[in-house]
């Protein structure tokens, strides 16, 4: 199925659940809230996405996708620390909010890349994950993340 291994198919299904939960959370709650069920679904699906991704070596050994998984888990840990303690003081809510939003941006990179190299079937949009237009698109997504995170922090200050 689209060149996916069984683990790749499970990984993709879990990541789609995370992305769907994240999108709903952004539209419904204006951010990922770990205190509600939707936020918890997003967080745990993101953790499982990272863990299942570590077993996928389609393009060789440990690579950029694996490094992104490690970064995602570290940022989730940062968000968890911000939510749990006084490590960040008055900025804890902002650190948590921006961290969860950053993990969503991290989801978008492989989502965009893997979609582009696999679809449409037989004539994918990109010849490789290193296609120049994918790098440009990732930059645009990062800009969207920055705008969204800024709006979220402003909303927290009110």
């Amino acid at each position: 199925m689209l060149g996916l291994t069984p683990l790749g198919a499970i990984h993709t299904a879990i990541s789609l659940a995370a992305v769907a939960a994240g999108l709903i959370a952004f539209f419904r709650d204006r951010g990922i809230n770990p205190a509600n069920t939707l936020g918890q679904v997003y967080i745990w699906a993101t953790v499982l996405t990272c863990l299942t991704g570590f077993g996928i070596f389609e393009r060789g050994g440990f690579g950029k996708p694996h490094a992104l998984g490690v970064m995602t888990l570290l940022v989730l840990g940062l968000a968890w620390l911000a939510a749990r303690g006084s490590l960040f003081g008055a900025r804890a809510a902002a650190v948590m909010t921006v961290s969860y939003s950053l993990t969503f941006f991290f989801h978008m990179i492989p989502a965009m890349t893997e979609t582009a190299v696999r679809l449409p079937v037989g004539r994918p949009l990109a010849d490789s994950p290193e296609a120049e237009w994918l790098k440009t698109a990732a930059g645009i997504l990062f800009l969207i993340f920055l705008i969204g995170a800024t709006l979220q922090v402003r909303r927290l200050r009110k």
Side-chain angles (χ1 to χ4, degrees), residues 1 8 11 13 16 31 33 36 38 44 55 61 65 68 85-86 89 92 99 101 106 120 124 131 137 141 153:
M1 179 176 70
H11 168 80
L16 289 172
N33 182 352
N36 66 36
L38 189 58
W44 287 109
L68 186 61
S86 59
S99 295
S101 292
F106 289 164
L141 287 174
V153 170

Side-chain angles (χ1 to χ4, degrees), residues 70-80 98-100 102-103 106:
V70 170
M71 287 187 344
T72 300
L73 291 174
L74 290 172
V75 174
L76 281 174
L78 181 68
W80 181 81
V98 172
S99 295
Y100 285 131
L102 182 59
T103 65
F106 289 164

